[in-house]
Amino acid sequence: MRSRQYGPDLTPPWKKQTPAPEVPAERDLVVEEAETGFCGAVVRCEKTAEGFTVTLEDRFGKHRVFPLVPRGFLLDGKAVTLVRPAGPAPSRAPGRTASGSVAVPGARARVARESRIYVEGRHDAELVERVWGDDLRIEGVVVEYLEGIDDLPAIVADFAPGPGRRLGVLVDHLLPGTKEHRIAAQVTGDAVLVVGHPYIDVWQAVKPASVGIPAWPDVPRGEGWKEGVCRRLGWPVDTPAAWKRILSKVDSYKDLEPELLGRVEELIDFVTSADQA
């Protein structure tokens, strides 16, 4: 005879947890991981050998990866279960990547080439990943960032470029007569290609209309450019938060200026040319 108090699984009703609501782990959703207290915005969800994971980025740019487990996160102080966001509706027409290339459904990432693309900073790397990430994984191209190019000659020498080991470098504000132009001239060769865009910072390579502003403001020389932009746009002077705001508005190549698009495509072609396969 069953007990009315315990039910078929013998668990007292007052000990049963109410299932936490499921919340799609959409990009930029801010949550707290329940066990560690790490708080950050969702960067991506991925399928791994151990199961599905979510990557969070805190306000200082630090990334941590957590498993998607029931009641594993807090949203506005309440326990939730993060789940993978719903994918786009299937289409009969060939899909496109964010860069405009024809998507290859189910394609596996290629083993990384020895050739590399270097960019100046983390924001450059994140923007390239946002738009060209799918293409780069299929081609097996790794993008790394340098934190500036003052030491580029030594970095290139350490990389040891040569046949089958090419190096492409994307430089901010690459204009004749600039420091960047002089450094680029020192390292350019058969196995090294340095290209650049005219913008002070890669932020400017995002079209103002995509960000919802009429134009990128002018900042006087001597004032920190990113901080000056935040002040003139009426944003909090918090450059990591400002960059998240800008990057979240980039969905495809259509949100970027052609001066950047052409240079990145040139670098990808250079490091994946037929004689490098």
Side-chain angles (χ1 to χ4, degrees):
M1 182 175 179
R2 292 180 180 173
S3 165
R4 294 181 181 176
Q5 182 178 12
Y6 287 92
D9 65 358
L10 301 182
T11 302
W14 59 85
K15 287 190 177 181
K16 292 183 179 180
Q17 283 188 324
T18 302
E22 293 187 349
V23 176
E26 301 285 357
R27 189 178 181 90
D28 297 324
L29 176 72
V30 177
V31 295
E32 178 183 344
E33 202 277 328
E35 184 174 343
T36 63
F38 184 88
C39 184
V42 172
V43 175
R44 58 182 170 271
C45 285
E46 295 178 302
K47 184 177 182 180
T48 70
E50 292 74 30
F52 291 109
T53 64
V54 61
T55 301
L56 303 182
E57 180 182 45
D58 69 10
R59 65 187 302 270
F60 302 105
K62 181 180 179 181
H63 284 201
R64 288 191 62 177
V65 180
F66 300 99
L68 290 180
V69 297
R71 303 180 67 87
F73 300 86
L74 301 178
L75 178 62
D76 297 329
K78 297 180 180 179
V80 296
T81 297
L82 289 187
V83 296
R84 295 186 74 201
S91 172
R92 301 178 68 91
R96 295 279 176 176
T97 67
S99 71
S101 301
V102 176
V104 185
R108 294 185 176 182
R110 174 175 172 162
V111 174
R113 299 171 183 264
E114 289 190 50
S115 299
R116 292 286 187 273
I117 292 177
Y118 285 173
V119 297
E120 282 206 54
R122 184 169 64 86
H123 293 179
D124 306 69
E126 289 176 344
L127 189 59
V128 170
E129 164 63 25
R130 181 90 167 185
V131 176
W132 288 273
D134 291 338
D135 306 43
L136 293 170
R137 278 182 283 278
I138 289 176
E139 295 290 352
V141 177
V142 175
V143 175
E144 302 179 15
Y145 64 89
L146 303 170
E147 292 292 3
I149 66 164
D150 288 351
D151 297 325
L152 186 59
I155 291 169
V156 171
D158 185 62
F159 181 82
R165 186 176 171 82
R166 288 186 169 187
L167 179 61
V169 184
L170 179 68
V171 177
D172 296 341
H173 202 232
L174 187 62
L175 298 172
T178 62
K179 173 193 71 175
E180 291 82 2
H181 194 269
R182 291 191 294 271
I183 293 174
Q186 296 177 44
V187 299
T188 299
D190 292 340
V192 179
L193 175 65
V194 181
V195 300
H197 55 74
Y199 306 114
I200 295 173
D201 188 273
V202 77
W203 288 19
Q204 286 183 300
V206 180
K207 291 180 178 178
S210 296
V211 184
I213 59 177
W216 289 104
D218 292 327
V219 178
R221 186 182 296 272
E223 180 180 358
W225 188 83
K226 293 176 181 176
E227 293 79 5
V229 165
C230 291
R231 293 187 188 99
R232 285 160 181 79
L233 292 178
W235 298 351
V237 183
D238 182 340
T239 56
W243 173 240
K244 284 185 182 179
R245 179 175 185 167
I246 296 165
L247 188 62
S248 70
K249 303 300 183 181
V250 177
D251 294 318
S252 75
Y253 71 97
K254 296 178 182 179
D255 296 305
L256 302 183
E257 299 287 1
E259 289 82 356
L260 176 66
L261 293 173
R263 302 295 73 75
V264 175
E265 296 287 352
E266 187 178 354
L267 289 177
I268 294 174
D269 289 345
F270 178 75
V271 299
T272 61
S273 58
D275 62 339
Q276 300 299 306

